[in-house]
Amino acid sequence: MTPVAGVGLAAVGMLVAVEGREARTRVAAVAASRGRGAVLRAALLPGLGLVALAGGAAGVLVLLPRGWAQLVGAVVLLAAGLQWLVWAARRESGVLAGRDEGVVFEGVRLRMGAGGGGVGHTSQSHPTSASHPTSASHPTSLARTPVRTSLRAPAHAPARTETAGALLRAGAEVIVVTTAVAAAAVPRAWLPASALALVVAVIAPGVIRHRPAGGLPERPAKAAVAVLLTAVGATAVTAGAVGVLPALLLPTAGLFVLALARRKAPPAPVPDGDAPATRLRALREFVLGDDLAVWCAVAVLVVAVRLPVAAFHRAFHRCPAAELLLTVLLLAVLSGTARRARTSTTP
């Protein structure tokens, strides 16, 4: 197994753990409110859809020419890694508060009509609010504000909506990323289906155990996903011009610097934005992310690798030009993210 294949498989494993844990908390909350039967019925159609998606991914890996598959998979991995890195940078900068699975659990139960108190009741046991509905496709945040019910009783969300949303968001992202890993670094058509089976294995205990999921701390786990995806994407896009070790160290160093800067300065206040997103917006954020600078960086790196100038191509692969270009792009993405994060919040 090559080093880039090992990094890719590690990225898939971490992604399954992170996404599966978040979906498991939501599924457990639905099961606690509506019962196991409601969860199993609600999971039937999304499960069939994910199985079909995994089968389609395997077909793409078999039918697509190897050269095209490697390029497309590398681009998808680099874009996904940089998007995760942007969210990790916001988290390390103190702009986004940490996700509390207990708060998410109670928030889902509240929407199901089984958690929370009377009119105007404030939850005292969990002083935070549930995350943005689309935050499971991308890294999530929680505003450190009390959970309040409105003066009118909240509408009871259908169990199928909550369950299907949790399963589809977690399963679809894992399948897409795993397919990209298989295309770029690990040519195994069965890899997406195996990753989907692991996601199901992580989520399934939530149907029986009606409590928030535990696991690794959120910040280091999601930072690890960001670093691993960025590393395998950068190595695959540059066809090895950027080594695995530099590709791992550069984003890690960037997040470490942001964490140090956060300790020296007070964190910016966290906005309370919990407004529900439309389906079109959720789809756009799943496909494109919410930071177009990511795609600009991917385009620059791809164009630099594919330039037809022979002299530049030789220099790019024989000197640290690839590492220098990746360093500049990471600095641009991370510094731009930190700068926009500071100016987008009011003291």
Side-chain angles (χ1 to χ4, degrees):
M1 179 184 295
T2 62
V4 67
V7 174
L9 292 177
V12 169
M14 290 298 300
L15 183 65
V16 167
V18 170
E19 295 290 349
R21 178 182 65 175
E22 295 184 357
R24 175 179 167 181
T25 294
R26 295 184 180 277
V27 168
V30 176
S33 303
R34 301 292 175 87
R36 300 172 187 172
V39 172
L40 294 177
R41 289 191 298 270
L44 181 59
L45 287 180
L48 292 176
L50 291 174
V51 170
L53 182 61
V60 168
L61 292 172
V62 171
L63 298 177
L64 196 65
R66 182 63 186 155
W68 282 101
Q70 286 180 324
L71 177 59
V72 173
V75 170
V76 170
L77 285 175
L78 183 57
L82 290 177
Q83 185 61 53
W84 275 80
L85 197 65
V86 165
W87 282 86
R90 294 172 184 172
R91 197 173 291 107
E92 294 299 332
S93 299
V95 176
L96 298 181
R99 174 187 171 99
D100 188 329
E101 296 298 324
V103 174
V104 175
F105 183 87
E106 293 300 330
V108 174
R109 292 196 66 199
L110 183 64
R111 289 197 293 275
M112 293 289 102
V119 175
H121 173 75
T122 302
S123 173
Q124 300 295 332
S125 58
H126 299 289
T128 57
S129 64
S131 63
H132 193 282
T134 62
S135 58
S137 314
H138 303 289
T140 53
S141 66
L142 287 172
R144 297 287 182 180
T145 55
V147 177
R148 293 181 179 270
T149 63
S150 60
L151 293 178
R152 291 184 295 178
H156 293 182
R160 63 178 181 274
T161 302
E162 198 72 46
T163 304
L167 295 178
L168 290 175
R169 284 192 294 263
E173 182 165 6
V174 168
I175 290 174
V176 170
V177 171
T178 306
T179 304
V181 170
V186 187
R188 298 292 185 271
W190 46 262
L191 201 59
S194 300
L196 178 60
L198 290 176
V199 173
V200 173
V202 174
I203 297 175
V207 181
I208 302 173
R209 299 180 179 180
H210 303 161
R211 59 172 180 263
L216 296 173
E218 182 204 22
R219 280 178 56 199
K222 291 184 175 179
V225 173
V227 170
L228 291 171
L229 287 178
T230 302
V232 67
T235 304
V237 162
T238 59
V242 175
V244 174
L245 185 58
L248 287 171
L249 293 178
L250 289 174
T252 303
L255 293 179
F256 181 71
V257 170
L258 289 176
L260 289 180
R262 178 190 181 186
R263 293 189 181 96
K264 293 180 180 179
V270 181
D272 295 339
D274 282 337
T278 63
R279 293 181 180 179
L280 182 60
R281 177 183 171 186
L283 179 62
R284 179 181 61 82
E285 290 188 354
F286 180 81
V287 176
L288 298 177
D290 66 342
D291 196 334
L292 293 181
V294 166
W295 287 100
C296 294
V298 172
V300 168
L301 198 57
V302 171
V303 170
V305 173
R306 306 293 168 177
L307 274 179
V309 182
F312 178 84
H313 196 267
R314 287 195 299 270
F316 193 81
H317 285 271
R318 294 181 182 178
C319 72
E323 284 85 354
L324 290 176
L325 179 58
L326 180 62
T327 303
V328 171
L329 293 177
L330 289 177
L331 283 174
V333 171
L334 293 179
S335 63
T337 298
R339 183 171 61 252
R340 286 192 298 272
R342 286 194 299 269
T343 58
S344 64
T345 55
T346 55

